[in-house]
């Protein structure tokens, strides 16, 4: 809800009945402050996920977010909202590092992709909520909704166990065993899985966990290269631009068929449905297939939007085809979330070893934030100075480049344990015993 907040709320703040006086320049800062706050929170995120654990980091992020919804609800001046947006970025950064890490470490490998993708489904539901509620109610009302959801998490999530990987990493084997028993069915033989996790953690503990090892160790270097380029690809497929400026872009398209606020709600619904579909498909069809097909189809949608604005800005009459950008945006919502918008968050939690997980995922999240800022700047500068078509040409070409990179450089991690994935990154061939899903030779 925080991420998609500016799209429906900024028009209200700039309107004549705004509850908080806001200028256009200040409204642009509301977008950038979320990303700047995310970047500034990288250091504390890296520290806390290893110091206090994944579970407590998620709870801390939720508490901060609850306070920020209260500030937004009662803010008398725009400066209060500026502060709330910056801290919301830092809190969101922590959640989007700790939550994927937590899920990857508690999940069985057969459903790890599905469970990890649920994070994005919940994110999209939040965007849908803010799109559907904010344009039609007072500002404090949607703040109550957002605050209530976080409050529910704060009173329920403490009953979940901590990650067994983290507990073994902190030399707490009895607590790790208790955690795994709570996470697995009662008839499950956890001793074998616990021993495998222990072996993996002990091996990974012998590896250095310094910041420079992201570059010096070849397997870590490959992991951070993949995640850096995928995080850049997500934003340079225009997702942040569309989520934060969808109303403005659709109004600029001049469509006479549907209001921008209604189109935004439909856009969010399609993204939720596509993400849910992808979450079921990601462990069946694999990460690479979804990523490649999604990137190509997303790039085609953006190319169509760019060509439409090209024709419109060069004086051609486009009134009879003004439905094209709306249809393209809706197809974009579907194709993006089928792979490009889902697979990277799954891979982020899979590619780094235990010793490097906090550093690697935080750096990857940092590139995610920087890429978001850069994509917003590319959009603002090119559209303001040259025309709305040019940023969409750039974003389209980026998608096609992502498909090529995925095909040649990204390994398939479907059905692999976290330990097997590390061997794959090291270039070590791994075989399974016949009839067994979780044993390596």
């Amino acid at each position: 809800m925080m991420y998609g907040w500016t799209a429906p709320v900024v028009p209200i703040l700039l309107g004549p009945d705004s509850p908080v006086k806001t200028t256009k320049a200040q409204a642009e800062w509301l977008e950038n402050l979320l990303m700047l706050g995310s970047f500034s929170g990288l250091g504390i995120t890296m520290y806390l996920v290893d110091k206090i654990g994944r579970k407590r980091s998620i709870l801390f992020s939720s508490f901060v977010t609850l306070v920020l919804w209260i500030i937004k609800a009662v803010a008398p001046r725009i400066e209060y909202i500026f502060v709330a947006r910056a801290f919301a970025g830092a809190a969101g950064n922590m959640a989007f590092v700790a939550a994927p890490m937590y899920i990857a470490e508690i999940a069985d490998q057969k459903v790890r992709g599905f469970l990890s993708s649920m994070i994005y489904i919940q994110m999209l539901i939040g965007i849908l909520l803010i799109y559907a509620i904010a344009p039609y109610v007072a500002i404090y009302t949607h703040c109550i909704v957002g605050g209530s959801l976080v409050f529910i998490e704060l009173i329920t999530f403490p009953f979940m166990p901590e990650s067994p990987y983290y507990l073994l990493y902190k030399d707490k084997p009895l607590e790790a065993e208790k955690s795994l028993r709570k996470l697995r069915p009662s008839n499950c033989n956890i001793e074998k899985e616990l021993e495998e996790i222990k072996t993996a953690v002990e091996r990974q503990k012998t590896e250095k966990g310094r910041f420079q090892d992201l570059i010096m160790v070849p397997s870590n270097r490959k992991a951070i290269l993949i995640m850096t380029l995928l995080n850049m690809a997500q934003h340079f497929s225009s997702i942040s631009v569309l989520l934060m400026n969808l109303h403005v872009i659709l109004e600029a398209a001049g469509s006479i068929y549907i209001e921008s606020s209604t189109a935004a709600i439909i856009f969010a619904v399609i993204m939720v449905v596509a993400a849910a579909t992808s979450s079921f498909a990601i462990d069946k069809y694999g990460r690479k297939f979804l990523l490649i097909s999604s990137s190509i189809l997303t790039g085609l949608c953006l190319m169509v939007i760019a060509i439409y604005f090209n024709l419109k800005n060069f004086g051609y009459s486009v009134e009879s085809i003004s439905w094209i950008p709306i249809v393209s945006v809706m197809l974009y919502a579907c194709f993006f979330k089928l792979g490009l918008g889902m697979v990277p968050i799954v891979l982020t939690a899979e590619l780094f070893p235990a010793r490097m997980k906090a550093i690697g995922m935080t750096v990857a999240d940092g590139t995610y934030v920087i890429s978001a800022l850069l994509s917003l700047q590319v959009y603002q500068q090119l559209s303001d100075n040259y025309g709305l078509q040019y940023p969409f040409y750039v974003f389209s070409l980026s998608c096609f480049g992502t498909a090529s990179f995925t095909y040649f450089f990204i390994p398939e991690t479907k059905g692999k344990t976290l330990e097997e994935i590390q061997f794959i990154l090291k270039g070590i061939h791994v075989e399974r015993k016949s009839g067994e899903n979780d044993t390596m030779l």
Side-chain angles (χ1 to χ4, degrees):
M1 289 181 71
M2 288 285 191
Y3 189 58
W5 187 81
T6 54
V9 175
V10 164
I12 297 172
L13 294 177
L14 294 175
D17 299 324
S18 172
V20 180
K21 186 177 179 181
T22 308
T23 66
K24 189 175 185 300
Q26 290 171 331
E28 290 179 357
W29 271 105
L30 290 174
E31 291 182 4
N32 294 325
L33 279 171
L34 185 78
M35 299 305 172
L36 290 171
S38 296
F39 186 77
S40 66
L42 290 175
I44 191 169
T45 295
M46 190 185 304
Y47 175 77
L48 288 181
V49 290
D50 272 345
K51 184 67 176 178
I52 67 174
R54 289 61 157 139
K55 173 184 170 182
R56 290 177 180 173
S57 296
I58 294 170
L59 288 170
F60 178 70
S61 169
S62 301
F63 174 75
V64 173
T65 304
L66 176 60
V67 173
L68 299 177
W69 279 122
I70 295 171
I71 292 174
K72 280 189 175 183
V74 300
R77 298 198 308 273
I78 191 64
E79 288 79 10
Y80 286 79
I81 301 180
F82 281 164
V83 173
R85 290 293 287 171
F87 277 94
N93 173 274
M94 184 173 295
F96 269 79
V97 170
M101 190 183 298
Y102 177 79
I103 290 175
E105 292 178 351
I106 70 170
D108 183 276
Q109 67 262 25
K110 292 186 290 293
V111 293
R112 188 177 61 238
F114 168 74
L115 292 178
S116 296
S117 65
M118 289 297 291
I119 296 173
Y120 259 118
I121 294 176
Q122 298 303 317
M123 173 188 172
L124 294 171
I125 291 174
I127 291 172
L128 173 59
L129 281 174
I130 200 69
Y131 280 5
I133 297 171
Y136 310 108
V137 298
I139 282 183
Y140 67 84
T141 305
H142 72 250
C143 293
I144 292 173
V145 174
S148 298
L149 291 172
V150 180
F151 180 73
I152 292 171
E153 181 183 4
L154 286 169
I155 62 176
T156 58
F157 192 64
F159 296 99
M160 284 294 292
E162 179 56 274
S163 157
Y165 270 86
Y166 172 77
L167 293 171
L168 285 173
Y169 183 75
K170 290 295 184 180
D171 296 318
K172 297 178 179 179
L174 294 179
E175 291 183 35
E177 182 180 353
K178 183 179 178 181
S179 170
L180 198 59
R181 287 191 185 279
K182 192 171 182 180
L183 290 164
R184 298 292 181 263
S186 58
N187 62 348
C188 182
N189 178 16
I190 70 156
E191 285 75 16
K192 183 179 181 181
E193 183 178 359
L194 190 66
E195 190 61 34
E196 290 176 351
I197 296 174
K198 188 182 299 183
T199 301
V201 169
E202 288 302 318
R203 183 190 65 78
Q204 293 171 20
K205 268 188 172 183
T206 63
E207 299 176 349
K208 297 176 181 179
R210 303 169 302 175
F211 191 88
Q212 59 265 39
D213 293 323
L214 278 178
I215 305 299
M216 302 300 294
V217 177
S219 58
N220 294 337
R221 184 166 63 243
K222 186 172 183 179
I224 196 63
L225 174 65
I226 290 171
M227 290 320 308
T228 296
L229 291 177
L230 282 185
N231 284 334
M232 290 182 66
Q234 278 196 305
H235 289 291
F236 277 87
S237 65
S238 81
I239 185 59
S240 287
V241 168
L242 283 176
L243 288 176
M244 294 185 178
N245 299 276
L246 184 59
H247 297 70
V248 174
I249 292 171
L250 290 178
E251 288 172 6
S255 175
I256 60 175
Y257 296 96
I258 189 171
E259 292 185 1
S260 60
S261 58
T262 304
I265 294 172
I266 298 172
F267 177 84
V269 170
I270 292 173
M271 291 186 83
V272 171
V273 174
T277 302
S278 177
S279 68
F280 287 102
I282 200 166
D283 284 318
K284 182 177 181 180
Y285 297 105
R287 283 59 158 158
K288 288 189 71 167
F289 172 76
L290 292 178
L291 198 51
I292 291 171
S293 55
S294 171
S295 297
I296 293 172
L297 293 171
T298 299
L300 291 173
C301 291
L302 294 172
M303 183 65 72
V304 170
I305 294 172
I307 292 171
Y308 173 86
F309 278 112
N310 212 142
L311 294 173
K312 185 175 187 294
N313 292 337
F314 275 89
Y316 291 94
S317 176
V318 293
E319 185 174 331
S320 61
I321 57 169
S322 62
W323 53 270
I324 286 180
I326 291 179
V327 172
S328 297
V329 163
M330 300 309 168
L331 289 174
Y332 169 95
C334 177
F335 296 144
F336 176 82
K337 280 301 171 185
L338 282 175
L340 190 54
M342 296 290 285
V343 173
I345 196 170
V346 176
L347 289 177
T348 302
E350 292 179 335
L351 293 180
F352 296 105
R355 190 87 173 174
M356 296 299 300
K357 200 176 285 285
I359 297 174
M361 290 185 67
T362 304
V363 171
D365 198 59
T367 63
Y368 183 88
V369 173
I370 293 171
S371 300
L373 282 168
L374 289 175
S375 68
L376 288 169
Q377 287 302 310
V378 167
Y379 165 75
Q380 290 169 2
Q381 295 300 320
L382 289 180
S383 59
D384 289 346
N385 295 317
Y386 301 102
L388 204 50
Q389 66 270 28
Y390 291 104
F392 285 104
Y393 279 128
V394 172
F395 298 145
S396 176
L397 293 174
S398 172
C399 291
F400 298 137
T402 302
S404 299
F405 175 77
T406 301
Y407 181 81
F408 289 107
F409 294 105
I410 297 181
E412 180 57 73
T413 62
K414 181 189 76 169
K416 305 292 192 301
T417 66
L418 298 180
E419 180 75 343
E420 287 176 311
I421 294 169
Q422 288 307 304
F423 282 114
I424 292 171
L425 291 172
K426 293 175 185 294
I428 300 173
H429 180 64
V430 178
E431 294 181 355
R432 294 175 181 269
K433 290 181 180 180
S434 178
E436 295 188 8
N437 292 327
D438 55 359
T439 305
M440 294 186 302
L441 284 175

